[in-house]
């Protein structure tokens, strides 16, 4: 299981799949996803940050998300 930092809050987010799931046979969920906005920007965000975005977000909305202490 890998981790990737959220572009919004900075927290490292679990990425499901990969070799660790192969050996355990227990699939793990991914706690975020990469979103592409209408302004052609692309951001990896955790589920909590995605929930805070407005209906039609752009890069400035991602920059406005509150940074958290990195875990």
């Amino acid at each position: 299981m890998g981790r990737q930092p959220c572009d919004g809050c900075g927290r490292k987010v679990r990425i499901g799949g990969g070799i660790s799931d192969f050996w355990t046979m227990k699939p793990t969920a991914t706690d975020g996803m990469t979103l592409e906005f209408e302004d052609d920007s692309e951001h990896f965000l955790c589920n909590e940050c995605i929930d805070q975005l407005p209906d039609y977000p752009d890069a400035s909305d991602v920059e406005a998300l509150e940074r958290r202490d990195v875990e």
Side-chain angles (χ1 to χ4, degrees), residues 10-51:
R11 185 174 58 99
K12 289 198 176 196
V13 177
R14 182 178 56 219
I15 306 295
I19 193 69
S20 64
D21 285 346
F22 176 77
W23 292 112
T24 64
M25 297 299 190
K26 294 181 185 177
T28 56
T30 298
D31 292 332
M33 68 174 62
T34 300
L35 301 176
E36 184 176 342
F37 299 146
E38 290 179 350
D39 65 357
D40 292 327
S41 63
E42 193 172 282
H43 305 277
F44 179 80
L45 298 171
C46 68
N47 293 335
E48 293 174 27
C49 286
I50 291 170
D51 289 342

